[in-house]
Amino acid sequence: MRQIEGTISRLKLFPVTPMNDPAQNLHALSCADDYDPNSMPVAKAREVIARFLTPVTAIERVNVRAALGRVLAEDVVSPLNVPAHDNSAMDGYAVRFADLKPDGEVTLKDVGSSFAGAPFKGTMAAGQCVRIMTGGVVPASADTIVMQEHVKTGKDGVTLGPGHRKGQNLRRAGEDLKAGQAALKRGLALRPAEIGLISSLGIGEVGVYRRLRVAFFSTGDELVSIGTQPQEGQIFDSNRYTIHGMLTRLGCEVIDMGVVRDDPKLLEKAFHDAAAAADVVITSGGVSVGEADFVKDLLNKLGEVVFWKIAMKPGRPLAYGKIGHAHFFGLPGNPVSVMVTFYQFVRDALLALSGRDPVPQLPTFKVPCTSSLKKAPGRTEFQRGILSQDASGNWSVRVTGEQGSGILRSMSEANCFIILPTEQGNVVPGALVDVQVLEGVV
């Protein structure tokens, strides 16, 4: 990637309109005051990353059965009215409202039946009614459905009392969707409900964006893979498995490049190969103090680095930049920090690059905290919490226990992050805190 005027370490950030050209974005950063690549505020880091994101554009056509979780690349337009005909919302009788009496009973002649898939074939005249089941096509002259619980049947016909409303229990053709109307919008990730809706329109294939390709690897001489016997001072590499799981849940095409040793030649080849194969490159480890300069030199050789540190805990050593056309996220080495930084920065970026529009945000709201929390002002903290509801329906949150960045069990037990803002100090029990719900996400 060509050198950008000036070095990233001297750039200053200011609000700019999103641009497709990363070079223009980087150059624009040099015109403002509050950009610090060594201590980027959380909100500012998200803002900066968002300016570099251009979604994939390649489109694939897939069978609707294979479209679950894929992102629509085009609107799904209904080829027909839904429902296709006026039909009944209840089991009962189709009648002409004009035949009913507002203040007394009336007896109508039953002239036939209309079932779902087997409509009434005759003509319903004045003074007549048709027995109709839910989903049955409403006879042309009928405009009201009376529930079967509200009628009396006898040898003289069907007797109906007063109190009915014209058009009741009747579903009009096209009231759900009209032919030519967009049933689903581009940028939507397809869930089971959308799969069912598409199939209900008789559509067998849809256009979706290709899956985002993400390559990742861990760095460090101390790491060994599962199936290998660790030597003294070595540990199993859990981060690659965590990252693989998080990427898979986002529907990415995953490229696991294993563990890369702390060797400049091996790392340079890994960065080069990953950037050539993927839209996004993610690493864990190698970006903390003492290691950052080593990796930074490689990345400055191969691309550009936007920032290296975030004013947050855990996860301060987070790098973001570009290697060629690929986005780069250098995550910390500690297991909890990997997950926190992924969900606070990488998740939204990957969804945006995948074509999601809008990107769904993790729900956040305030609840009382039953734990006392230690916190020094100066950076945003993401503590792991357990959100629960008591017998009276009141919500509260407590921490999972020890909050060390190496205690992966704290993420396993948590169903939310407790977010403590930069200016926040210690939290006393009973104080309101922001929680970000993770249930179904992690």
Side-chain angles (χ1 to χ4, degrees):
M1 182 175 182
R2 68 184 181 84
Q3 291 295 313
I4 307 300
E5 180 179 342
T7 63
I8 296 298
S9 61
R10 293 195 297 269
L11 295 180
K12 305 295 182 183
L13 175 65
F14 83 117
V16 295
T17 302
M19 293 176 275
N20 291 332
D21 183 355
Q24 293 179 12
N25 273 294
L26 287 172
H27 180 66
L29 294 176
S30 64
C31 303
D33 311 335
D34 57 347
Y35 176 71
D36 182 357
N38 294 311
S39 187
M40 178 78 74
V42 169
K44 188 62 68 177
R46 291 180 181 135
E47 180 186 332
V48 171
I49 293 170
R51 293 181 184 149
F52 291 83
L53 305 178
T54 302
V56 296
T57 57
I59 298 175
E60 304 171 348
R61 298 205 66 80
V62 299
N63 185 280
V64 67
R65 285 184 178 271
L68 186 65
R70 302 297 295 272
V71 179
L72 280 177
E74 57 195 16
D75 292 352
V76 173
V77 177
S78 178
L80 43 81
N81 286 329
V82 180
H85 307 279
D86 290 356
N87 72 91
S88 177
M90 297 286 180
D91 292 346
Y93 289 85
V95 303
R96 297 168 68 250
F97 185 74
D99 289 337
L100 303 180
K101 293 181 179 180
D103 55 0
E105 291 186 340
V106 63
T107 299
L108 305 177
K109 183 181 179 181
D110 185 353
V111 295
S113 299
S114 179
F115 294 87
F120 174 66
K121 298 296 187 182
T123 301
M124 192 186 84
Q128 298 178 340
C129 66
V130 168
R131 179 82 165 107
I132 194 166
M133 299 293 108
T134 302
V137 175
V138 176
S141 59
D143 58 10
T144 301
I145 307 297
V146 179
M147 294 172 58
Q148 62 186 13
E149 292 88 349
H150 297 163
V151 306
K152 294 182 291 185
T153 58
K155 62 179 181 178
D156 295 327
V158 179
T159 301
L160 305 91
H164 301 290
R165 176 176 46 84
K166 185 177 181 178
Q168 68 184 22
N169 303 321
L170 191 153
R171 296 185 292 213
R172 292 293 185 185
E175 73 175 20
D176 185 8
L177 286 170
K178 289 181 170 55
Q181 179 183 347
L184 299 170
K185 294 290 189 178
R186 178 186 61 82
L188 179 70
L190 297 175
R191 302 168 302 175
E194 285 79 37
I195 297 298
L197 177 56
I198 294 168
S199 62
S200 76
L201 302 175
I203 297 173
E205 287 187 346
V206 290
V208 297
Y209 291 117
R210 70 162 174 82
R211 294 186 187 276
L212 194 70
R213 290 187 287 269
V214 183
F216 65 99
F217 57 88
S218 297
T219 65
D221 291 337
E222 77 281 9
L223 301 177
V224 296
S225 298
I226 293 174
T228 305
Q229 182 62 41
Q231 302 301 312
E232 185 177 2
Q234 292 184 320
I235 58 174
F236 287 115
D237 175 21
S238 66
N239 288 343
R240 273 177 36 245
Y241 295 88
T242 304
I243 292 171
H244 183 280
M246 294 187 293
L247 292 174
T248 300
R249 292 196 68 166
L250 291 181
C252 299
E253 182 180 327
V254 179
I255 306 170
D256 185 350
M257 300 182 63
V259 176
V260 180
R261 301 301 170 198
D262 291 327
D263 180 291
K265 291 183 179 179
L266 294 177
L267 279 169
E268 181 172 350
K269 183 177 186 305
F271 280 126
H272 182 274
D273 292 347
D279 305 295
V280 179
V281 178
I282 298 175
T283 64
S284 65
V287 293
S288 61
V289 176
E291 300 165 312
D293 290 340
F294 178 59
V295 178
K296 186 185 293 185
D297 288 343
L298 283 176
L299 291 172
N300 282 332
K301 176 181 178 181
L302 300 173
E304 298 289 349
V305 182
V306 181
F307 56 75
W308 279 93
K309 297 288 188 294
I310 303 292
M312 65 182 288
K313 178 183 179 180
R316 183 170 181 266
L318 170 71
Y320 171 71
K322 298 272 286 187
I323 305 174
H325 293 291
H327 297 265
F328 168 71
F329 290 93
L331 307 185
N334 284 318
V336 174
S337 300
V338 165
M339 297 195 73
V340 172
T341 53
F342 185 95
Y343 284 114
Q344 297 307 317
F345 302 101
V346 184
R347 171 191 177 271
D348 285 5
L350 296 183
L351 291 176
L353 290 169
S354 298
R356 291 291 297 270
D357 184 22
V359 173
Q361 300 300 303
L362 299 177
T364 302
F365 53 93
K366 290 185 180 294
V367 299
C369 182
T370 61
S371 309
S372 60
L373 307 178
K374 292 184 177 181
K375 163 76 163 62
R379 56 183 173 177
T380 304
E381 287 196 15
F382 297 87
Q383 300 201 16
R384 280 71 70 203
I386 300 173
L387 184 65
S388 59
Q389 192 176 29
D390 64 21
S392 299
N394 299 311
W395 290 93
S396 63
V397 68
R398 59 183 173 86
V399 291
T400 57
E402 291 296 327
Q403 295 291 298
S405 59
I407 304 175
L408 190 55
R409 179 172 51 82
S410 70
M411 281 299 305
S412 176
E413 294 176 351
N415 61 8
C416 69
F417 287 131
I418 302 172
I419 304 177
L420 305 178
T422 301
E423 65 280 3
Q424 174 76 52
N426 292 335
V427 175
V428 298
L432 292 177
V433 293
D434 289 317
V435 296
Q436 187 179 60
V437 179
L438 296 175
E439 195 67 37
V441 178
V442 296

